[in-house]
Each structure stands twice: as C-alpha cells, then as structure tokens.
Amino acid sequence: MIKERLAQLVAEASDHAVTAEEALAAEVPLSALGLTSIGRTRLMDAVEAEFGVEMDVTEQDDLDRLTAFLLTRCSRRAPYLGGPPGRRAGCRTPGAAPGLPGARRR
C-alpha cells in the first residue's frame, strides 16, 4: 500500500512525466526515469506532508529505497508516543489529512 501511494506521489510530483506504473516497474533511480530536481522537491514535500516523516529524496532515489526508508523510520517510533493503538507516532496513514488528532477545523 505504501509503495503504491508513493508511486502516485511520484506521478503527481513529476506532473505525470513519470507515471505511477513506470515508477512501480522501474529498476533504475527515479531521476533516470525523468524525475527532475523540482519533482524531487515536490515529492519530498508530499511525503513529509502525507506521512509526517522528514526525508531527503536524493538519498532514496528509487521507490524501493523510499518505501524501505519510510517503513524503517515508522517502525522505530514507539507506539505509545501518541496516536491510536496500532499506529506509530509521527507516521500517518497514507491519504490521511495532516493535523493533530481531535483538532477542530474552522
């Protein structure tokens, strides 16, 4: 699920110059597929906003590494640091809106 969502974010960050299907099937770095530096910046911002995890796309320049990074980063967090049981603090569920649980929106 995370890898598929990351592939969608790659497509969005690249203005669909790289499709989600291409990103999933690729065995080369995202930059070799055509993800530009602007696209990498957009992807980094999107990952941070969606998953709540800071990262550097240049260090994880392929979908497998990026997925592994997110899984490792989220698994290191203690579940008791916040959030409902079964969800690790700081690692939002893909597609979940950023914000504090229980916060009221105007």
Side-chain angles (χ1 to χ4, degrees):
M1 180 172 173
I2 289 178
K3 188 173 181 178
E4 289 78 8
R5 180 59 186 142
L6 288 172
Q8 291 172 346
L9 292 176
V10 167
E12 293 168 14
S14 70
D15 290 328
H16 300 278
V18 178
T19 66
E21 293 77 18
E22 289 172 327
L24 284 168
E27 295 183 9
V28 297
L30 295 172
S31 55
L33 289 177
L35 187 66
T36 64
S37 59
I38 292 173
R40 286 194 307 271
T41 300
R42 289 178 183 165
L43 178 60
M44 182 176 62
D45 290 344
V47 168
E48 289 176 3
E50 183 147 338
F51 293 94
V53 174
E54 291 185 19
M55 47 124 353
D56 182 359
V57 174
T58 58
E59 294 176 10
Q60 291 83 28
D61 193 32
D62 67 55
L63 214 53
D64 289 330
R65 281 187 175 180
L66 185 53
T67 301
F69 170 81
L70 284 175
L71 291 172
T72 301
R73 183 72 182 260
C74 292
S75 68
R76 278 194 240 155
R77 310 262 178 147
Y80 60 84
L81 290 177
R87 191 179 124 218
R88 292 170 176 83
C91 298
R92 288 191 276 278
T93 304
L100 298 173
R104 293 185 185 199
R105 297 182 184 206
R106 295 181 180 192

